[in-house]
Amino acid sequence: MASGTLPSVAEHPQVTAFKRRQKVKRGALVLIALAFSALVMGVPVAAIFARAFQEGVAVYWTNIVEPDTLYAIWLTVLTALIVLPINIVYGVAVAWLITRYRFPGRRVLLTIIELPFSISPIVAGLCYLLIYGGTSVIGSWADEWNIQLMFNLTGIVLVSLFVTCPFVARELIPLMQVSGKDQEEAALTLGATGWQTFRHVTLPNIRWALLYGAILANARVMGEFGAVSVVSGNIRGETMTLPLQVQLLYDDYNATGAFAAATVLTLIAVITLVLRSLIEARHPHRH
Amino acid sequence: MKKIVLAAFGAALLLGAGAPARAEEPTEILNVSYDIARELYATINPKFIEHWKETSGKEIDIKQSHAGSSKQARAIMQGLKADLVTFNQVLDVQILADKGFVSENWQKDLPNNASPYYSLPAFLVRKDNPKDIKDWDDLVREDVKLVFPNPKTSGNARYTYLAAYAYALEKNGGDDEAAREFVGKLLKNVAVFDTGGRGSTTTFVEREIGDVLITFEAEVENIRTQYGKDDYQRVVPSVSLLAEFPVAVVEKVAKQRGSLDVSKAYLDYLYSKEGQEIIVSFNNRVHNEEVKAANADRFPDVRLVTVEDVFGSWAEAKETHFSDGGVLDQVFNAR
């Protein structure tokens, strides 16, 4: 072909025009996505902080160290500290059972652990009231022994367990299914005990997924409103978790206090997000 | 980490199972109350603690729980350990009496139907009353938009509904058809139905929707205090409905916990001059003659009718108007 008679394909006017159009389209898409994200997520989160600090840092701080709010923060953390370890043990056990054994009812179990995701938290709370409340068989039996199950920390922990029990198991099951049991069987044939196998073979494989699930569960425990609100009894400075406290302060015309308390919840969420990104960065094959 | 977890477990067990032993000297009592009474009882409690120390020489702490009073009544039946209740719905105490938590004669145990203070549905309008709202008739005008909660979910709104109905009945010589038409028009004028009183306040004040917010007079004044006395005005209609705030000792729990005396003393305190003065400072109307006279200028004259006068009883009003398929449903669906 004689040189200089035809422009190369890349420089062809139609191609350049096409590329330009593509560029504009992509730019527009990016713009829409960014604007939408900012509008839907960025602005409200920023607004929480703006409103919380509206009357100055001093007022913000007074609102945070208000005894009832401090107590709500403590109660929320305490609930998470109780719920998470149980959740982790339960999650590992269920995932192990489902991925390593075949037994009747396995599919049922698989479905059941997903249940809390599809049941409205309020309904979950009501179910627990029905089963453990003062009018129930279990509740009145416990009352005979002077043990109160609902409207205190026990109730809050129970419903929190319910709403968060799928998180860890759900993260582990797909991973453990893929990784299979070859390595574990190898360890066992080499004479490792069950615990050694778990500690040195299984755990290193699943630790990131485990942590990931635990972080998600933690975010859910701390943010849970519906189920907790049903069984909390709303006793100030005793059974008010942070999300309940936010609502309560707002209802009391204390918007600044409500938003100050909300910033604590938001910070927890942001920390969760950062941890999650860190895990994903260290472990790029996840998701 | 292990230690923290163990400590947390321990704390949970202590908190959960280590409830105080029965019938010992109680160190705290729980007042289970309605949604918006927090400021009121937050002011009363320290005063009562002082009063109790002076009169009995004993220390006591008072815990508060606030939520919708029907929800609270259910929680008590489900095991919430309330020593006493301070509600805004007669029926919610009655159901506790029916289930044996509260004395059968609770309404006779204390003066004024066991209601230490009262209020009434009144109107909050915007600055200078631009739509010139004076009485219930103005609320059914076509150019007026109203805000009050859904009578299906809110006790507050039930009072509004019944007050309007009572007004229309009286005006039309007891004609039920006319009264239904009146409340039908009223409901039609509602711009937003929130689920509770505070939600409606937000709608009216912060979202600036509607011309009139209908809620308890005490709440009307509290909103004005909160959001600017000059920006809003109170309008008290010519006739309204007596809204009682019934109180009772939850004897079943109080006996178990040994808190009967202090709980009774707490309720008596609400009727004392000191207690009534605090209550009146939150814009509730009271019965104590002395306090009443001293605060006469706070409260415009209004003729109050009672649910018993107009509707027979709360139970009947509930049955006729608020049950499924009742009058409320009928006019609501026709709107």
Side-chain angles (χ1 to χ4, degrees), chain A residues 23-34:
Chain A
K23 225 175 175 178
V24 171
K25 274 186 193 162
R26 198 190 318 142
L29 265 181
V30 169
L31 205 68
I32 291 172
L34 282 182

PDB file of all heavy atoms in Angstrom, chain A residues 23-34:
ATOM      1  N   LYS A  23     -15.803   8.971  24.941  1.00  0.00           N
ATOM      2  CA  LYS A  23     -15.203   9.697  26.048  1.00  0.00           C
ATOM      3  C   LYS A  23     -16.250  10.536  26.775  1.00  0.00           C
ATOM      4  O   LYS A  23     -16.324  10.557  27.996  1.00  0.00           O
ATOM      5  CB  LYS A  23     -14.089  10.613  25.507  1.00  0.00           C
ATOM      6  CG  LYS A  23     -12.815  10.561  26.323  1.00  0.00           C
ATOM      7  CD  LYS A  23     -11.770  11.408  25.623  1.00  0.00           C
ATOM      8  CE  LYS A  23     -10.509  11.494  26.452  1.00  0.00           C
ATOM      9  NZ  LYS A  23      -9.476  12.275  25.739  1.00  0.00           N
ATOM     10  N   VAL A  24     -17.073  11.227  25.952  1.00  0.00           N
ATOM     11  CA  VAL A  24     -18.119  12.077  26.522  1.00  0.00           C
ATOM     12  C   VAL A  24     -19.088  11.214  27.325  1.00  0.00           C
ATOM     13  O   VAL A  24     -19.455  11.533  28.451  1.00  0.00           O
ATOM     14  CB  VAL A  24     -18.872  12.845  25.413  1.00  0.00           C
ATOM     15  CG1 VAL A  24     -20.090  13.555  25.995  1.00  0.00           C
ATOM     16  CG2 VAL A  24     -17.935  13.847  24.760  1.00  0.00           C
ATOM     17  N   LYS A  25     -19.465  10.080  26.720  1.00  0.00           N
ATOM     18  CA  LYS A  25     -20.413   9.194  27.401  1.00  0.00           C
ATOM     19  C   LYS A  25     -19.855   8.724  28.734  1.00  0.00           C
ATOM     20  O   LYS A  25     -20.540   8.727  29.749  1.00  0.00           O
ATOM     21  CB  LYS A  25     -20.708   7.968  26.530  1.00  0.00           C
ATOM     22  CG  LYS A  25     -21.821   8.177  25.524  1.00  0.00           C
ATOM     23  CD  LYS A  25     -22.125   6.862  24.831  1.00  0.00           C
ATOM     24  CE  LYS A  25     -22.988   7.075  23.609  1.00  0.00           C
ATOM     25  NZ  LYS A  25     -22.929   5.916  22.716  1.00  0.00           N
ATOM     26  N   ARG A  26     -18.581   8.311  28.676  1.00  0.00           N
ATOM     27  CA  ARG A  26     -17.978   7.800  29.907  1.00  0.00           C
ATOM     28  C   ARG A  26     -17.925   8.911  30.968  1.00  0.00           C
ATOM     29  O   ARG A  26     -18.254   8.705  32.129  1.00  0.00           O
ATOM     30  CB  ARG A  26     -16.567   7.271  29.625  1.00  0.00           C
ATOM     31  CG  ARG A  26     -16.088   6.346  30.726  1.00  0.00           C
ATOM     32  CD  ARG A  26     -14.632   5.995  30.616  1.00  0.00           C
ATOM     33  NE  ARG A  26     -14.194   5.707  29.245  1.00  0.00           N
ATOM     34  CZ  ARG A  26     -12.999   6.080  28.761  1.00  0.00           C
ATOM     35  NH1 ARG A  26     -12.165   6.756  29.524  1.00  0.00           N
ATOM     36  NH2 ARG A  26     -12.653   5.780  27.536  1.00  0.00           N
ATOM     37  N   GLY A  27     -17.521  10.102  30.482  1.00  0.00           N
ATOM     38  CA  GLY A  27     -17.456  11.239  31.405  1.00  0.00           C
ATOM     39  C   GLY A  27     -18.809  11.500  32.043  1.00  0.00           C
ATOM     40  O   GLY A  27     -18.926  11.691  33.256  1.00  0.00           O
ATOM     41  N   ALA A  28     -19.850  11.465  31.230  1.00  0.00           N
ATOM     42  CA  ALA A  28     -21.192  11.733  31.733  1.00  0.00           C
ATOM     43  C   ALA A  28     -21.595  10.680  32.760  1.00  0.00           C
ATOM     44  O   ALA A  28     -22.162  10.989  33.815  1.00  0.00           O
ATOM     45  CB  ALA A  28     -22.184  11.751  30.572  1.00  0.00           C
ATOM     46  N   LEU A  29     -21.284   9.431  32.444  1.00  0.00           N
ATOM     47  CA  LEU A  29     -21.630   8.334  33.361  1.00  0.00           C
ATOM     48  C   LEU A  29     -20.945   8.506  34.706  1.00  0.00           C
ATOM     49  O   LEU A  29     -21.566   8.378  35.761  1.00  0.00           O
ATOM     50  CB  LEU A  29     -21.210   7.001  32.752  1.00  0.00           C
ATOM     51  CG  LEU A  29     -22.297   6.245  31.995  1.00  0.00           C
ATOM     52  CD1 LEU A  29     -21.755   4.938  31.453  1.00  0.00           C
ATOM     53  CD2 LEU A  29     -23.493   6.001  32.890  1.00  0.00           C
ATOM     54  N   VAL A  30     -19.638   8.812  34.616  1.00  0.00           N
ATOM     55  CA  VAL A  30     -18.874   9.006  35.856  1.00  0.00           C
ATOM     56  C   VAL A  30     -19.483  10.144  36.666  1.00  0.00           C
ATOM     57  O   VAL A  30     -19.686  10.039  37.892  1.00  0.00           O
ATOM     58  CB  VAL A  30     -17.389   9.311  35.535  1.00  0.00           C
ATOM     59  CG1 VAL A  30     -16.664   9.784  36.781  1.00  0.00           C
ATOM     60  CG2 VAL A  30     -16.719   8.093  34.935  1.00  0.00           C
ATOM     61  N   LEU A  31     -19.830  11.211  35.950  1.00  0.00           N
ATOM     62  CA  LEU A  31     -20.399  12.379  36.607  1.00  0.00           C
ATOM     63  C   LEU A  31     -21.709  12.020  37.315  1.00  0.00           C
ATOM     64  O   LEU A  31     -21.931  12.361  38.476  1.00  0.00           O
ATOM     65  CB  LEU A  31     -20.634  13.480  35.563  1.00  0.00           C
ATOM     66  CG  LEU A  31     -20.644  14.905  36.128  1.00  0.00           C
ATOM     67  CD1 LEU A  31     -19.249  15.284  36.598  1.00  0.00           C
ATOM     68  CD2 LEU A  31     -21.159  15.875  35.087  1.00  0.00           C
ATOM     69  N   ILE A  32     -22.571  11.295  36.592  1.00  0.00           N
ATOM     70  CA  ILE A  32     -23.859  10.901  37.173  1.00  0.00           C
ATOM     71  C   ILE A  32     -23.641  10.038  38.413  1.00  0.00           C
ATOM     72  O   ILE A  32     -24.235  10.272  39.470  1.00  0.00           O
ATOM     73  CB  ILE A  32     -24.709  10.130  36.140  1.00  0.00           C
ATOM     74  CG1 ILE A  32     -25.153  11.091  35.027  1.00  0.00           C
ATOM     75  CG2 ILE A  32     -25.926   9.500  36.798  1.00  0.00           C
ATOM     76  CD1 ILE A  32     -25.825  10.399  33.870  1.00  0.00           C
ATOM     77  N   ALA A  33     -22.732   9.073  38.275  1.00  0.00           N
ATOM     78  CA  ALA A  33     -22.478   8.171  39.398  1.00  0.00           C
ATOM     79  C   ALA A  33     -21.977   8.940  40.610  1.00  0.00           C
ATOM     80  O   ALA A  33     -22.442   8.741  41.736  1.00  0.00           O
ATOM     81  CB  ALA A  33     -21.468   7.107  38.992  1.00  0.00           C
ATOM     82  N   LEU A  34     -21.024   9.849  40.354  1.00  0.00           N
ATOM     83  CA  LEU A  34     -20.465  10.627  41.460  1.00  0.00           C
ATOM     84  C   LEU A  34     -21.517  11.524  42.088  1.00  0.00           C
ATOM     85  O   LEU A  34     -21.672  11.575  43.314  1.00  0.00           O
ATOM     86  CB  LEU A  34     -19.290  11.471  40.958  1.00  0.00           C
ATOM     87  CG  LEU A  34     -17.972  10.719  40.764  1.00  0.00           C
ATOM     88  CD1 LEU A  34     -16.883  11.686  40.299  1.00  0.00           C
ATOM     89  CD2 LEU A  34     -17.542  10.026  42.048  1.00  0.00           C
TER      90      LEU A  34
END
